[in-house]
Amino acid sequence: MGNFGIWVLTICLIFQSGYGFYLPGSYPLKHVVGNSLSVKVNSLTSIDTEMPFSYYSLPFCKPLEGVKDSAENLGELLMGDRIENSPYKFKMYTNESEIFLCQTGKLSSDDFKLLTKRIDEMYQVNLILDNLPAIRYTITEGFMLRWTGYPVGVKIQDVYYVFNHLKFKVLVHKYEEPNVARVMGTVDGAEVIPTVGNKGSDVPGYMVVGFEVVPCSVMHDGNLVNNLKMYEKYPSLIKCEPITVSKPIKEGEPIVFTYEVTFEESDTKWPSRWDAYLKMEGAKVHWFSILNSLMVITFLAGIVLVIFLRTVRRDLTRYEELDKEAQAMVNEELSGWKLVVGDVFRAPSNPDFLCIMVGDGVQLLGMAIVTILFAALGFMSPASRGTLITGMLFIYMILGIAAGYVAVRLWRTIGFGDPKGWISVAWKAACFFPGIAFSILTVLNFLLWGSHSTGAIPFSLFVILLLLWFCISVPLTLIGGYFGAKAPHIEYPVRTNQIPREIPAQRYPSWLLVLGAGTLPFGTLFIELFFIMSSIWMGRVYYVFGFLFIVLILLVVVCAEVSLVLTYMHLCVEDWKWWWKSFFASGSVAIYIFMYSINYLIFDLKSLSGPVSATLYLGYSLFMVLAIMFATGTVGFLSSFWFVHYLFSSVKLD
């Protein structure tokens, strides 16, 4: 039954990854014809600099009621989103054209330089209607391309043009009561649940299921708008032709902004309105990634099987069949892993540091598995901005209990049951990785502050993060450490000699093999890594979490197998210092991911400009690879610890 449940979960994940089904993060809103619809603006973004800026940092029209921040969550602020109200307003199912928005003041020298700089840096304007980002379609070489947002302007032959007229298309679908189609299955048949009566439910309404924008550069006559107020009709016909531009930016001249909007009924239903954003591209490539990982796993599993069946089991069986006198003779002729029986559980160097890293690795790995599983099942919808980051923080803090428990119990195991110093270990586990992360983010935040970017974390949010760390995460880690101190430590199956055995000279440095082992785990995820990097740095939507969850499970299996094989190889050459090597055998995948990040920066992010942007990229990449090293290293160490414990508990050597 357990296996059946696993198969059902796997099929659900594959279905989710292939078809983009998700549990919506909000309910459909009913808009009656003529109801007001307000467009919101998000931060200006660019794949050229990776630094978001406020929409109103440029000379755009401001709403009559003033600029107001929309409700934001922790994840939105950490991602650099700053959602504010805008002057763009529509009336449901009411087509309007030549709507005058405003005429800016004469462009000052600073405004002119800033506007042209943002155009050079390829900044995009991001608009939102009913929680849907504005989408733009372009045709390049016969292919239809989708973009979220539109560029601030364009540069043609050293002349800068601004997009000052927007042509909106709002796709709507007739409102359907959400409870009408709900049917509950029973033994005798189906029972229709009656719809709860809502006031005004008989009035026909519509739901917004699409939001498209076409930007145009139009030359307006400034004399015609001198006496116009916002939302009044521009007195002349406006031709919006995307392929031509006609409004150059000049210092000392104002800019006139206008827009038009058309409504179109669509067959797209509300639950499917995000399909245009989440259309999965490259499905065959994702499947290739998974098949590639399965081949690596099968290869390593074969090696592990050989170790267990042909080598270990054969040796143990032959040894157990001997009488005591024969065993004494064999002991004198022992070779390989049997010779290190008195040293294999000797405490490693810096044991407290190892315990801390393993504890933090368990916390990070658990956070990754739970977060990606929830996202794959649709609980972290893109309709709820910042949910993914907020969920990750919440899950990470809760799993502080696991970090403290594992770190302290491992500390007691290495210390042969001595609980002395467990508080120090739990405290360090609570502060080590978060301290590294906080240091990296603080340095990067100063760079963003210096650039006046909305990506900079506000000081108030810094205080909130510190309070979450020390008031929730640290106490939970200490509680986990307390339970770890009370839990029975793991008994070693053999005694450790007082005098350490000398390790024979090796033909090649053992650490060279450890570093090379990271290539196998890297081979299982590098294809998926490209899609993730493109999502983070190229502004593409990543939502194939079903594939990602499967790749994560395969990565865990490969890390365990690689570390187990290398630990056995080290023991066979009488190298009993396996503790740290088992951690870095799988953890060394982080080195290759960092090298891939540098390769991605050089060859895929060619347009990334300026030392600040490159420093931000490398800083965030370093933060990512450290987290991956902790998680994968922990998998390798725990699998090797289980293997060594199993191996030496099966043999009787004095």
Side-chain angles (χ1 to χ4, degrees):
M1 189 65 185
N3 290 334
F4 175 75
I6 293 171
W7 276 109
V8 169
L9 177 61
T10 305
I11 292 168
C12 288
L13 290 171
I14 293 171
F15 175 81
Q16 137 68 17
S17 61
Y19 293 93
F21 172 78
Y22 70 99
L23 299 177
S26 56
Y27 292 97
L29 296 176
K30 177 182 178 181
H31 302 282
V32 179
V33 175
N35 274 10
S36 178
L37 298 174
S38 298
V39 177
K40 296 180 180 179
V41 290
N42 203 342
S43 301
L44 304 172
T45 55
S46 168
I47 61 172
D48 194 52
T49 65
E50 302 297 347
M51 289 190 293
F53 289 96
S54 170
Y55 173 81
Y56 293 108
S57 63
L58 294 181
F60 290 139
C61 302
K62 295 182 179 180
L64 295 174
E65 64 273 19
V67 179
K68 298 176 183 177
D69 289 335
S70 293
E72 294 171 310
N73 56 45
L74 196 61
E76 279 185 9
L77 292 168
L78 290 173
M79 290 295 290
D81 288 342
R82 297 292 183 274
I83 300 176
E84 298 163 312
N85 60 331
S86 83
Y88 295 102
K89 296 186 185 299
F90 311 146
K91 294 177 182 177
M92 173 54 77
Y93 225 130
T94 305
N95 296 339
E96 296 178 282
S97 60
E98 289 96 30
I99 303 173
F100 169 71
L101 206 57
C102 80
Q103 179 176 237
T104 66
K106 294 180 179 180
L107 288 182
S108 65
S109 176
D110 291 340
D111 285 341
F112 174 76
K113 289 177 181 177
L114 184 62
L115 195 54
T116 54
K117 183 183 179 184
R118 294 291 179 258
I119 292 173
D120 279 333
E121 293 170 339
M122 300 167 58
Y123 269 86
Q124 302 275 321
V125 178
N126 299 293
L127 305 178
I128 302 168
L129 176 66
D130 196 27
N131 218 20
L132 280 179
I135 197 168
R136 176 171 57 98
Y137 292 96
T138 59
I139 299 176
T140 304
E141 297 179 356
F143 292 97
M144 179 75 77
L145 300 177
R146 299 186 307 274
W147 310 84
T148 51
Y150 66 91
V152 172
V154 65
K155 181 182 179 182
I156 300 175
Q157 297 179 351
D158 295 329
V159 179
Y160 293 91
Y161 297 88
V162 66
F163 290 121
N164 60 337
H165 180 82
L166 300 180
K167 184 178 182 179
F168 295 107
K169 182 196 284 186
V170 181
L171 303 178
V172 296
H173 187 81
K174 282 188 177 179
Y175 183 79
E176 299 168 355
E177 292 291 347
N179 289 333
V180 168
R182 274 179 59 194
V183 177
M184 178 181 292
T186 62
V187 177
D188 300 322
E191 173 191 354
V192 178
I193 302 175
T195 303
V196 179
N198 295 324
K199 185 178 179 180
S201 61
D202 55 337
V203 179
Y206 293 90
M207 303 173 289
V208 177
V209 295
F211 184 37
E212 300 174 10
V213 62
V214 177
C216 297
S217 179
V218 178
M219 176 63 77
H220 294 298
D221 187 348
N223 296 323
L224 296 177
V225 300
N226 287 334
N227 298 321
L228 286 182
K229 295 181 181 179
M230 188 177 285
Y231 306 123
E232 289 186 350
K233 193 174 181 68
Y234 184 76
S236 177
L237 182 67
I238 299 174
K239 292 184 179 180
C240 180
E241 298 178 355
I243 58 174
T244 60
V245 289
S246 56
K247 175 54 185 172
I249 304 170
K250 294 181 181 179
E251 187 177 338
E253 288 189 3
I255 303 174
V256 176
F257 288 92
T258 55
Y259 70 97
E260 61 185 279
V261 59
T262 57
F263 287 80
E264 185 178 300
E265 197 159 343
S266 170
D267 293 332
T268 303
K269 295 188 177 180
W270 193 88
S272 305
R273 67 180 194 154
W274 275 89
D275 287 359
Y277 306 87
L278 305 179
K279 277 184 179 176
M280 186 186 62
E281 296 174 357
K284 292 181 180 178
V285 179
H286 289 282
W287 282 116
F288 175 76
S289 172
I290 291 174
L291 291 174
N292 174 57
S293 304
L294 287 172
M295 288 175 64
V296 175
I297 285 177
T298 305
F299 171 71
L300 289 172
I303 297 176
V304 173
L305 204 62
V306 168
I307 290 174
F308 273 106
L309 298 182
R310 292 192 56 190
T311 309
V312 178
R313 279 296 181 190
R314 184 188 61 196
D315 288 353
L316 293 175
T317 304
R318 285 176 55 193
Y319 189 81
E320 295 297 336
E321 289 175 352
L322 298 174
D323 55 24
K324 290 185 178 180
E325 291 183 4
Q327 285 182 17
M329 293 176 62
V330 170
N331 282 342
E332 296 177 2
E333 300 176 0
L334 284 178
S335 61
W337 58 268
K338 306 177 200 69
L339 284 172
V340 296
V341 66
D343 298 275
V344 71
F345 290 108
R346 189 177 301 281
S349 56
N350 302 311
D352 55 340
F353 194 43
L354 178 64
C355 296
I356 292 163
M357 292 181 73
V358 170
D360 284 347
V362 167
Q363 188 175 10
L364 287 165
L365 181 65
M367 177 199 71
I369 291 174
V370 174
T371 303
I372 295 173
L373 178 61
F374 273 37
L377 295 175
F379 291 103
M380 295 180 180
S381 149
S384 302
R385 288 175 184 80
T387 305
L388 194 65
I389 301 295
T390 307
M392 286 174 64
L393 276 174
F394 176 75
I395 294 165
Y396 180 82
M397 288 187 296
I398 296 298
L399 289 175
I401 295 177
Y405 178 85
V406 172
V408 170
R409 194 170 183 202
L410 181 59
W411 168 255
R412 290 188 64 230
T413 298
I414 293 174
F416 300 98
D418 185 8
K420 185 179 179 182
W422 73 266
I423 296 178
S424 173
V425 171
W427 172 258
K428 290 175 183 175
C431 297
F432 185 62
F433 181 78
I436 294 173
F438 196 78
S439 301
I440 294 174
L441 293 178
T442 301
V443 172
L444 298 180
N445 212 53
F446 276 118
L447 293 175
L448 291 168
W449 267 337
S451 303
H452 305 288
S453 169
T454 58
I457 301 173
F459 180 75
S460 57
L461 185 57
F462 252 94
V463 175
I464 292 172
L465 291 175
L466 284 171
L467 289 174
L468 290 173
W469 180 9
F470 287 104
C471 297
I472 298 178
S473 182
V474 171
L476 287 176
T477 308
L478 292 174
I479 290 171
Y482 172 79
F483 286 116
K486 294 296 181 184
H489 70 283
I490 301 170
E491 296 281 354
Y492 292 147
V494 293
R495 293 196 302 268
T496 302
N497 297 336
Q498 290 185 348
I499 302 173
R501 177 185 178 84
E502 185 179 353
I503 299 174
Q506 307 296 327
R507 295 180 181 178
Y508 48 84
S510 59
W511 282 102
L512 193 63
L513 195 61
V514 168
L515 293 176
T519 55
L520 290 172
F522 178 73
T524 66
L525 59 80
F526 80 96
I527 296 176
E528 204 66 31
L529 192 63
F530 171 79
F531 290 96
I532 295 171
M533 299 285 276
S534 298
S535 170
I536 296 172
W537 301 110
M538 302 292 283
R540 297 170 186 168
V541 178
Y542 184 90
Y543 207 63
V544 285
F545 288 104
F547 279 125
L548 184 60
F549 184 77
I550 295 170
V551 170
L552 177 64
I553 298 302
L554 297 179
L555 175 66
V556 168
V557 175
V558 171
C559 286
E561 291 178 343
V562 163
S563 184
L564 190 150
V565 170
L566 252 71
T567 298
Y568 180 74
M569 290 173 64
H570 283 120
L571 293 179
C572 284
V573 293
E574 302 174 34
D575 184 356
W576 47 267
K577 294 183 178 180
W578 60 271
W579 300 78
W580 281 108
K581 290 169 186 173
S582 67
F583 185 92
F584 286 110
S586 53
S588 61
V589 67
I591 297 173
Y592 299 96
I593 293 176
F594 192 69
M595 291 168 62
Y596 179 83
S597 300
I598 296 173
N599 174 79
Y600 190 85
L601 172 64
I602 296 171
F603 295 103
D604 290 278
L605 292 179
K606 298 175 186 176
S607 61
L608 199 65
S609 62
V612 174
S613 298
T615 304
L616 286 170
Y617 174 84
L618 292 174
Y620 287 125
S621 298
L622 179 63
F623 171 66
M624 177 182 71
V625 298
L626 284 174
I628 291 172
M629 184 192 73
F630 277 60
T632 54
T634 296
V635 171
F637 171 79
L638 293 177
S639 62
S640 291
F641 184 86
W642 169 82
F643 170 70
V644 173
H645 191 279
Y646 169 81
L647 181 62
F648 286 91
S649 63
S650 303
V651 65
K652 299 173 183 176
L653 291 173
D654 295 325

